[in-house]
Amino acid sequence: MLKELIEYIREGQTGSDIDNYLDSKYIHLTDAHYDQIADAMSQGELSPKKASDCPAERFFLHFSETILFVKKSTQEQRSVYDVELVQDTNDSIEKVNESEVKNLAFVSFTINDDYQTTLTKRTSTSKPIDEQEKQQAIQSVMPVLRGFMNAISD
């Protein structure tokens, strides 16, 4: 999935060289890490912080069937981070010409200092998903992203 996410970023960001970011930290959250973040957030062990308090400039965050590429925004003043998401949309894998093909959804969005999201419009050659599916994908990852960013801000 990481390879497909990198291709999606290359395709949609003309003038931006993803190769400059391939040295970014890659963090893979196991199910146990995922549960720890969720527990810490729900029990108030992680104090809420602004997105701008996060010290990371850019990173890949991989959990479950999702990979996010998160980088500080340099384009828009309202947004603090730009996020590129790839997510396996179901558990089944299609067979095409004897090769297994995952059903991947790609979504681009920004987050502001209060972790409010704004969908980024972009054209892509990847399988299109509708606006509602994009919003569902964003909402499914935001608690983990926010928890992770709060945790590394301590």
Side-chain angles (χ1 to χ4, degrees):
M1 275 192 333
L2 183 59
K3 179 180 145 198
E4 289 87 354
L5 178 59
I6 291 169
E7 288 304 315
Y8 173 75
I9 295 168
R10 279 189 178 129
E11 177 183 292
Q13 293 188 3
T14 56
S16 175
D17 190 2
I18 184 63
D19 294 330
N20 291 336
Y21 302 113
L22 294 181
D23 64 344
S24 300
K25 297 267 187 218
Y26 177 86
I27 300 101
H28 182 245
L29 298 179
T30 64
D31 289 342
H33 293 126
Y34 181 90
D35 291 342
Q36 285 176 325
I37 289 173
D39 289 345
M41 289 291 287
S42 67
Q43 295 175 10
E45 293 174 11
L46 284 175
S47 56
K49 295 179 178 54
K50 300 282 188 188
S52 58
D53 291 339
C54 181
E57 292 289 319
R58 62 185 184 267
F59 57 92
F60 287 94
L61 183 61
H62 182 182
F63 56 94
S64 300
E65 293 296 322
T66 302
I67 300 177
L68 305 173
F69 176 60
V70 183
K71 69 176 179 130
K72 288 251 175 155
S73 179
T74 58
Q75 300 297 317
E76 202 173 314
Q77 293 178 341
R78 294 187 333 251
S79 66
V80 177
Y81 281 92
D82 297 320
V83 183
E84 306 290 346
L85 172 153
V86 62
Q87 190 173 60
D88 190 352
T89 56
N90 62 26
D91 295 330
S92 65
I93 297 175
E94 294 179 14
K95 285 250 186 195
V96 177
N97 298 330
E98 300 301 317
S99 297
E100 292 183 349
V101 177
K102 288 189 175 190
N103 293 312
L104 302 177
F106 297 91
V107 181
S108 301
F109 62 99
T110 63
I111 56 174
N112 69 12
D113 225 12
D114 295 320
Y115 294 92
Q116 299 300 309
T117 62
T118 303
L119 190 60
T120 304
K121 303 287 185 197
R122 100 162 13 182
T123 55
S124 173
T125 58
S126 64
K127 178 183 170 188
I129 62 173
D130 67 30
E131 181 109 4
Q132 183 179 3
E133 290 173 304
K134 289 178 183 179
Q135 291 297 337
Q136 288 173 340
I138 291 169
Q139 294 312 310
S140 73
V141 302
M142 282 310 298
V144 177
L145 178 58
R146 184 177 190 162
F148 177 78
M149 291 175 69
N150 279 292
I152 65 173
S153 297
D154 281 341

